[in-house]
């Protein structure tokens, strides 16, 4: 574990986020699966990290009701609602600051809404690449220069960042950046558990 990871774990823990540390993504997957009790329904936020872990398929195969707009056939608003009403919500975070804030930017807001006011239990899995050392400005910069360009290319969107690898909001006609959230502490009795991994994962 490097020093940035260690200080991030200390800061998150002080703010009331339970934190698990995993050396590998395989270890992280085992930690997450252990936290999901038999019969619990699970909602998913859009996350390449979670997708690559195969958690949706694994949980579906073991009889859990799983709700993810990346996978389910129902109309998106219906899946968003089911995911937000599930027992547990799985997602990543676009950035985590070393002083213990989760920073995310959404196109529709379904993911950040569910993280804040959805399922009572939220599990956030984040690779070492999501940790930023410069506070909120650095977190936003990371999202706009790393996550957004990669997401835009994944989705085939014609946003300026897809070609420039930087934000040009003034020229962005169909922005993915419509809702920005900074979660400083868990609120409203919601438990947000963070699983931090020494490997890079997602973007
Ligand atoms: S505002 Fe537009 S150009 Fe800027 S990061 Fe978001 S999607 Fe990309």
């Amino acid at each position: 574990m490097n020093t940035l990871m260690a200080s991030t774990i200390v800061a998150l823990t002080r703010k009331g986020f339970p934190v698990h540390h995993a050396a590998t993504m395989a270890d992280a997957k085992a930690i997450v699966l252990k936290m999901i009790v038999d019969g619990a329904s699970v909602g998913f936020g859009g996350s390449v990290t979670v997708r690559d872990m195969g958690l949706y398929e694994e949980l579906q195969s073991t009889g859990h009701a799983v709700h993810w707009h990346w996978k389910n056939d129902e109309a998106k608003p219906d899946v968003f609602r089911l995911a937000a009403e599930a027992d547990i919500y799985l997602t990543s975070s676009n950035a985590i600051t070393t002083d213990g804030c989760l920073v995310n930017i959404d196109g529709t807001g379904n993911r950040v809404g569910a993280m804040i006011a959805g399922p009572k239990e939220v599990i956030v899995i984040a690779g070492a690449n999501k940790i930023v050392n410069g506070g909120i400005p650095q977190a936003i910069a990371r999202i706009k220069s790393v996550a957004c360009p990669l997401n835009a290319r994944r989705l085939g969107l014609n946003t300026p960042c897809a070609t420039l690898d930087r934000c040009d909001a003034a020229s962005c006609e169909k922005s993915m950046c419509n809702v920005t959230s900074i979660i400083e502490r868990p609120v409203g009795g919601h438990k947000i558990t963070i699983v931090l991994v020494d490997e890079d994962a997602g973007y």
Side-chain angles (χ1 to χ4, degrees), residues 84-109:
E85 292 172 356
D87 297 314
I88 298 174
Y89 197 75
L90 296 184
T91 188
S92 186
S93 182
N94 293 135
I96 299 180
T97 63
T98 50
D99 60 356
C101 294
L102 311 184
V103 185
N104 286 284
I105 298 180
D106 265 9
T108 62

Side-chain angles (χ1 to χ4, degrees), residues 105 139-149 161 165-167 169 177:
I105 298 180
I140 302 282
R142 180 198 186 276
I143 297 169
K144 299 258 182 179
S145 64
V146 178
C148 287
C161 58
D165 278 322
R166 63 173 171 77
C167 180
C177 301

Side-chain angles (χ1 to χ4, degrees), residues 71-91:
K71 304 277 187 179
N72 293 52
D73 290 333
E74 299 99 317
K76 267 190 186 176
D78 292 335
V79 186
F80 289 163
R81 180 181 50 77
L82 289 167
E85 292 172 356
D87 297 314
I88 298 174
Y89 197 75
L90 296 184
T91 188

Side-chain angles (χ1 to χ4, degrees), residues 5-202:
M5 175 75 73
S7 54
T8 304
I9 290 172
V10 169
L12 288 166
T13 304
R14 275 196 191 130
K15 289 173 141 198
F17 297 101
V19 181
H20 294 267
H21 171 254
T24 66
M25 291 308 294
D27 291 346
K29 183 174 180 179
I31 289 167
V32 171
L33 289 173
K34 212 177 272 184
M35 283 192 273
I36 298 174
V37 298
D38 286 348
S41 58
V42 184
F44 291 75
S47 164
V48 169
T49 299
V50 173
R51 181 198 70 188
D52 291 349
M53 293 172 78
L55 286 163
Y56 178 92
E57 291 77 9
E58 178 105 18
L59 290 164
Q60 188 179 46
S61 74
T62 50
H64 292 269
V66 283
H67 307 292
W68 196 359
H69 61 290
W70 284 13
K71 304 277 187 179
N72 293 52
D73 290 333
E74 299 99 317
K76 267 190 186 176
D78 292 335
V79 186
F80 289 163
R81 180 181 50 77
L82 289 167
E85 292 172 356
D87 297 314
I88 298 174
Y89 197 75
L90 296 184
T91 188
S92 186
S93 182
N94 293 135
I96 299 180
T97 63
T98 50
D99 60 356
C101 294
L102 311 184
V103 185
N104 286 284
I105 298 180
D106 265 9
T108 62
N110 65 295
R111 179 181 56 132
V112 298
M115 289 172 78
I116 296 164
K120 287 287 183 190
E121 183 154 1
V122 177
I123 302 172
V124 173
I125 307 124
N129 52 320
K130 302 293 187 72
I131 295 175
V132 296
N133 195 21
I136 303 302
Q138 190 58 33
I140 302 282
R142 180 198 186 276
I143 297 169
K144 299 258 182 179
S145 64
V146 178
C148 287
L150 290 170
N151 271 319
R153 291 200 280 273
R154 175 176 62 83
L155 296 166
L157 300 178
N158 188 27
T159 57
C161 58
T163 50
L164 300 173
D165 278 322
R166 63 173 171 77
C167 180
D168 179 6
S171 308
C172 189
E173 289 176 7
K174 288 196 173 175
S175 177
M176 299 182 295
C177 301
N178 299 324
V179 182
T180 300
S181 85
I182 300 163
I183 302 177
E184 301 209 30
R185 287 175 190 77
V187 288
H190 293 256
K191 180 180 175 190
I192 304 180
T193 301
I194 320 283
V195 180
L196 284 178
V197 193
D198 280 336
E199 295 177 353
D200 288 353

